[in-house]
Amino acid sequence: MTSPAPAHATAKPGPRHDLVLRGERVLLPDGFAPAEVAVADGVIAQVAPLGAGLPGARTVDLDPDEVLLPGLVDSHVHVNEPGRTDWEGFASATRAAAAGGVTTIVDMPLNSVPPTTDVAALEVKQERARAAAYVDVGFWGGAVPGNTGQLRPLHEAGVFGFKCFLIDSGVPEFGHLEPEELERDLRELAALDALMIVHAEDPRVVAGAPHPHGPRYADFLASRPAGAEAAAIATVIEAARRTGARAHILHLSDAGALPLIAAARAEGVRLTVETCPHYLTLAAEQVPDGATAFKCCPPIRDEGNRDRLWQGLAEGTIDIVVTDHSPSTVDLKALDTGDFGEAWGGVASLQLGLAAVWSEARRRGVPLADVVRWMSTGPAALVGLERKGAIAVGRHADLAVFAPEEEFVVDPTRLHHKNPITPYAGRRLNGVVRSTLLRGRAITDVPHGTLLRRGEA
């Protein structure tokens, strides 16, 4: 990417913009095209065919191997600050996001202490993020036993929706909802037209499965059977059907649930679904015994299941792809014992999500434009960020300069994640983010992210 002198003899008369980017491959809403993108006051002011000579105080010409993408929107990120900031934090998480082409994250209400289950806790998070965020940050609220009365105040305070678990969350301060509690909270959210996002695994099915222990991944996989997801998703569908509320299934790993989801949507149930890079790029057959960096819940399943998840994306049953960046300290991953029963479950991949998904998509012949739709346009629409997720006039100038063919090998020590552990370690990936712009400004060493509120972004 080159930045020539500001003056251009070919520039036509007209308003002088702060920045003009030019490239042979710019991803516009209708697909890739040679284009010029003009930015003024942090907003895309004009898009014109390449050669139009839009005038700018500064101009950037993309190199031949680069494409210009809208910044990604990752609506599933565990920042963990405050309370567990040694796991991650707003500074480290948002720097990792920027390095991976992500310009907006929405923070999960756990594993911070306190969790975001009331307005006071939300304000603590906002204060921590305000001075540290390198990208724009929004927040989910939490729905836990006993806080139904807090949902409306949190909604009015600007959270983008509410997360609940139907199974033990893994942290004692964020309890899970029983089916009757889920339905009660959905009725409250239906009155607000607010979104409930659900970790859908059924505790009764899991309780009947073998207890995970030892280093064999097959034993851990058996402890979180696919039937647990299907049963919990059926519970969500029934509750959404009865209440008319909007519900969203988090981190779908079981492709066997796709027909159930498709049937519910066909009858008008207000249901959306996400999956994650690790479910689309990794497979149980590839997980070595003792490799606890791969542990997450629900688990990474077999290759055939992975193929069916890709089919679900192609058919539109799965709406979006987000990372579920769920880091921890290295010691919690039990690397010394390799015991899947002891290890914390979570995959840290915020910086690697785009490259991981694009590498697998490229292998399968899936266009980059589809990947961006799943990882930028779709998540922005899910949470109501109307000025994110596309290169179009009036949208925020959140942009990523991406070299889709360049290869790199993942070195955990070179990631911005606070703890250097990832199942992608040593993996060769395609796609390098060479520059990320937030509202037209390159993200460098000075945080300038904005805190987002529902209805104002």
Side-chain angles (χ1 to χ4, degrees), residues 354-416:
L354 174 58
V357 175
W358 165 236
S359 296
E360 184 69 16
R362 182 174 177 268
R363 186 178 73 83
R364 293 171 179 266
V366 176
L368 179 57
D370 287 351
V371 172
V372 175
R373 175 165 50 85
W374 298 326
M375 301 187 77
S376 179
T377 312
L382 174 75
V383 297
L385 292 169
E386 296 180 354
R387 302 187 74 184
K388 308 286 189 185
I391 298 176
V393 173
R395 302 288 184 112
H396 289 156
D398 298 348
L399 305 165
V401 177
F402 187 60
E405 305 307 318
E406 185 175 347
E407 289 188 346
F408 69 101
V409 175
V410 177
D411 177 355
T413 67
R414 302 189 67 178
L415 300 176
H416 290 286

Side-chain angles (χ1 to χ4, degrees), residues 270-295:
R270 302 172 75 192
L271 187 69
T272 50
V273 183
E274 70 183 43
T275 193
C276 303
H278 40 282
Y279 302 130
L280 295 171
T281 64
L282 306 175
E285 293 90 339
Q286 303 167 353
V287 181
D289 288 345
T292 51
F294 289 81
K295 180 180 177 180

Side-chain angles (χ1 to χ4, degrees), residues 40 64 86 109 131 136 269 278 292 305 307 312 315 374 387 405 435 451:
D86 54 335
D136 285 355
V269 176
H278 40 282
T292 51
N305 181 84
D307 292 342
E315 294 173 350
W374 298 326
R387 302 187 74 184
E405 305 307 318
S435 178
L451 302 190

